[in-house]
Amino acid sequence: MNENCAVDALLTAALFAADRHSEQKRKDTAKTPYINHPLAVAEVLSRHGVDDLITLQAALLHDTIEDTETHPAELDSAFGAEVRSVVLEVTDDKKLDRAERKRLQIAKSAQLSDRAKIVKLGDMICNVTDVASNPPVDWPLERRIEYLAWTEQVARGCRGVHERLEEHYEAALGDAREVLGRTYGSGQGVLDLGVSDE
Ligand code: ZN
C-alpha cells in the first residue's frame, strides 16, 4: 500500500469512529468528547514506532463494538476481516458483570494476537494517564489505585511483542502512581502503592 492509501485508510477509520462515538463523552470533569480516547491510543502507538496499518486502524476503532451500536460485520466490510478480528479481541462481553470482564481480561491477555496486545498496551497507557490526571468524576481514590494494579496484571500477558511500548507503559504507570501519591499525600492507599511521600 502506498503512503497515500495508508493515510486514507487511517483517516477513514478515524472518521468512522468519530461518527459512532459522536454522542459520547468521557467520564472526566470536562466531559471530553469520547473520540479523543481512541485518537490518543492510535497516536501513542504511532509515536512509539507502531506503523502496522491494521493495528493503527484497530486502535482507532477499538471501542466501536463494545461501546456503540457497531456490528462486527460493518468493520469487516469497511476495514476488512483482520481489523475486525483485532477489535473483537479487545472487546469485552458487556453481558458479563464488570468484575468478570476484568477477570477475563487478565486471564486472556497472554493469548491475544500480537496486534491486539499492542492495542491493549496503548489503551492502558492512555487509561493509566487519565486515571491519574483526568479521572472519571465518580471514581474514588481506591478505585483508581485498583485500576492501576489491574492494568499491571493485564500488561503482564502483553509482554514480549513491543519493547518500546512496554517501557512506555511502565513509565506511564510509574507517573500515574506518583501523581496519585502527590495528590493524596501520605494517605492510606498511597502507602499501599509503595509511593514514598518525600
Ligand atoms: Zn479504550
Side-chain angles (χ1 to χ4, degrees):
M1 185 176 293
N2 71 39
E3 203 175 307
N4 210 12
C5 290
V7 172
D8 265 7
L10 277 179
L11 290 174
T12 306
L15 193 58
F16 184 98
D19 176 56
R20 295 306 161 101
H21 291 296
S22 65
E23 304 288 310
Q24 297 171 330
K25 308 278 186 200
R26 299 288 282 170
K27 295 175 190 155
D28 57 342
T29 339
K31 297 195 174 73
T32 311
Y34 196 91
I35 188 62
N36 290 20
H37 168 66
L39 287 173
V41 174
E43 189 276 335
V44 90
L45 297 186
S46 172
R47 182 153 41 90
H48 288 85
V50 175
D51 59 1
D52 173 58
L53 184 58
I54 288 164
T55 307
L56 294 172
Q57 284 182 299
L60 290 166
L61 298 161
H62 79 272
D63 279 332
T64 54
I65 295 178
E66 187 171 311
D67 292 332
T68 79
E69 295 299 309
T70 304
H71 193 277
E74 292 179 84
L75 296 188
D76 218 330
S77 58
F79 305 103
E82 289 175 302
V83 172
R84 180 257 298 147
S85 115
V86 178
V87 174
L88 274 179
E89 282 188 87
V90 298
T91 297
D92 278 357
D93 182 353
K94 283 265 180 107
K95 293 197 286 292
L96 304 172
D97 67 30
R98 196 178 75 211
E100 180 61 4
R101 296 200 306 261
K102 296 276 170 212
R103 193 193 65 76
L104 279 174
Q105 285 203 48
I106 295 169
K108 287 180 171 175
S109 64
Q111 281 101 59
L112 294 173
S113 67
D114 287 359
R115 283 173 169 146
K117 283 178 182 171
I118 287 172
V119 172
K120 198 78 227 165
L121 277 171
D123 193 28
M124 292 193 299
I125 288 168
C126 293
N127 285 339
V128 298
T129 306
D130 281 349
V131 157
S133 307
N134 201 23
V137 276
D138 57 345
W139 281 31
L141 175 62
E142 198 176 43
R143 182 162 176 193
R144 294 161 71 190
I145 291 167
E146 277 170 17
Y147 182 84
L148 297 184
W150 170 80
T151 67
E152 221 175 1
Q153 297 187 67
V154 178
R156 213 164 283 148
C158 297
R159 278 192 194 134
V161 285
H162 200 293
E163 200 176 334
R164 226 176 118 187
L165 212 54
E166 285 170 48
E167 282 169 12
H168 186 58
Y169 162 76
E170 293 295 337
L173 180 68
D175 289 349
R177 286 181 164 159
E178 210 181 302
V179 168
L180 290 187
R182 267 206 307 276
T183 310
Y184 293 91
S186 55
Q188 171 102 53
V190 175
L191 291 175
D192 295 338
L193 289 173
V195 174
S196 76
D197 53 11
E198 67 221 13

